[in-house]
């Protein structure tokens, strides 16, 4: 892989525009004119200089992550083209990770075929990874998580709660389940607005105001998660089971009301402040 020079940056941007527009013939022409373009890593401009997309190749762009707009209808064929033209195995692996956490790939229904195409390009999907399902479930990609379950991904109490798989969740619950894991499962259920899972977990002793770190994030409670998404019914259930609305998160020192206010739910924020 090579970083782009100034000339290739312009070609790279043209190729990205072709990908975004689903202009496969234009992309073919650009790759024919500069076969090395598929190996270029861009480090200039927004998205490319820092963070998880820094130094991206063209292949990275088929994942829709970061969210730069809708994925083209022919995104799987575009991925096939880039892989056939020499995208490296490491780029396929990196793109697979982006697909797993992509809201666009999940909502468009492109994720399953993209996963297959990237695996054919030497990416590896570890269905035995205990946190595999956490990647899409903590990144607004539940349809991708459901696809991984169909493929045999390892599922635990957190994932069953997030997906609303009540029978599976019931089977996984036991009196000796770790209380931290139970609280984290409740947070997963609140993130996805799974009312029945929330009720079941609260009945098993999960605490809605306990600070947890889903996916290694900064400490927050299930009440914070529900409030920030405007899930009034879930919030009311958590409050009814004794969740303390005055608990503050571990990064911003904000209450659940503060989180609701920040995300554009002022009525819910007022309800939480009244509960305080």
């Amino acid at each position: 892989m090579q970083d782009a020079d100034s000339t290739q940056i312009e070609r790279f941007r043209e190729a990205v525009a072709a990908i975004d527009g689903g202009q496969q013939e234009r992309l073919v022409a650009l790759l024919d004119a500069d076969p090395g373009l598929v190996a270029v890593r861009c480090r200039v401009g927004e998205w490319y200089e820092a963070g998880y997309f820094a130094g991206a190749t063209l292949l990275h762009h088929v994942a829709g992550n970061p969210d730069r707009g809708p994925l083209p209808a022919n995104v799987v064929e575009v991925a096939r083209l880039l892989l056939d033209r020499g995208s490296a195995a490491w780029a396929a692996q990196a793109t697979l990770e982006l697909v797993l956490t992509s809201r666009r790939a999940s909502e468009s229904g492109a994720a399953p075929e993209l996963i297959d195409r990237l695996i054919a390009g030497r990416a590896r999907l570890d269905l035995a990874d205990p946190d595999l399902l956490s990647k899409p479930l903590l990144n607004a990609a539940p349809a991708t998580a459901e696809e991984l379950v169909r493929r045999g991904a390892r599922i635990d109490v957190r994932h069953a709660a997030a997906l609303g798989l009540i029978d599976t969740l019931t089977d996984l619950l036991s009196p000796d389940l770790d209380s931290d894991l139970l609280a984290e499962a409740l947070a997963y259920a609140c993130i996805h607005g799974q009312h029945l899972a929330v009720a079941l977990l609260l009945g098993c002793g999960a605490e809605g105001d306990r600070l947890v770190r889903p996916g290694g994030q900064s400490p927050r409670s299930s009440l914070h998660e529900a409030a920030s998404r405007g899930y009034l019914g879930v919030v009311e259930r958590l409050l009814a089971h004794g969740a303390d609305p005055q608990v503050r998160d571990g990064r911003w020192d904000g209450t659940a009301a503060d989180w609701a206010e920040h995300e554009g739910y002022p009525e819910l924020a007022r309800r939480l402040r009244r509960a305080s």
Side-chain angles (χ1 to χ4, degrees):
M1 291 288 172
Q2 60 185 13
D3 290 349
D5 59 28
S6 58
T7 300
Q8 281 188 314
I9 287 172
E10 292 305 314
R11 292 174 183 161
F12 185 92
R13 287 173 176 162
E14 287 184 55
V16 169
I19 291 170
D20 291 345
Q23 300 170 334
Q24 193 167 342
E25 290 184 3
R26 176 58 180 156
L27 182 59
V28 168
L30 288 165
L31 294 172
D32 285 345
D34 184 357
L37 195 58
V38 75
V40 165
R41 302 187 65 179
C42 184
R43 299 185 187 277
V44 178
E46 187 180 9
W47 308 117
Y48 302 104
E49 296 175 7
Y52 66 88
F53 209 61
T57 69
L58 291 177
L59 183 63
H60 287 68
H61 294 75
V62 305
N65 181 10
D67 189 346
R68 299 173 303 107
L71 288 172
N74 65 345
V75 67
V76 176
E77 290 306 310
V78 169
R80 184 201 302 270
L81 169 63
L82 293 169
L83 288 163
D84 288 347
R85 289 300 185 99
S87 288
W90 81 264
Q93 185 66 51
T95 304
L96 175 61
E97 295 298 323
L98 293 177
V99 169
L100 294 177
T101 57
S102 169
R103 178 180 68 85
R104 290 286 186 181
S106 180
E107 292 180 352
S108 69
E113 288 186 88
L114 282 172
I115 290 170
D116 288 339
R117 182 52 45 197
L118 292 163
I119 290 173
R122 295 177 290 163
R124 181 173 177 268
L125 180 67
D126 183 6
L127 294 172
D129 178 357
D131 284 315
L132 178 63
L133 290 175
S134 295
K135 296 175 182 179
L137 288 173
L138 293 176
N139 287 279
T144 301
E146 290 168 357
E147 172 64 19
L148 294 174
V149 170
R150 285 190 287 271
R151 293 177 183 227
R154 181 175 171 183
I155 186 169
D156 67 22
V157 65
R158 301 168 301 167
H159 311 133
L163 291 168
L165 301 175
I166 301 303
D167 289 344
T168 303
L169 179 58
T170 301
D171 290 341
L172 290 169
L173 289 170
S174 66
D176 58 350
L177 190 68
D178 180 81
S179 59
D180 287 335
L181 184 57
L182 190 65
E184 191 172 348
L186 180 60
Y188 272 69
C190 289
I191 288 168
H192 290 275
Q194 297 289 358
H195 291 256
L196 290 178
V198 168
L200 179 58
L201 290 163
L202 288 171
C204 290
E207 301 168 79
D209 54 8
R210 186 167 185 156
L211 294 179
V212 294
R213 297 173 61 91
Q217 300 178 83
S218 59
R220 74 281 307 279
S221 71
S222 295
L223 189 61
H224 283 88
E225 296 286 15
S228 70
R229 291 165 174 82
Y231 296 151
L232 175 60
V234 175
V235 167
E236 294 287 7
R237 188 179 292 275
L238 294 171
L239 292 173
H241 276 75
D244 181 359
Q246 297 188 67
V247 168
R248 295 180 176 272
D249 75 90
R251 181 178 183 184
W252 308 108
D253 195 36
T255 64
D258 295 330
W259 279 41
E261 189 86 53
H262 183 267
E263 294 301 325
Y265 301 104
E267 289 295 332
L268 182 53
R270 283 191 283 273
R271 166 70 184 92
L272 284 160
R273 291 189 176 112
R274 286 197 302 273
S276 296

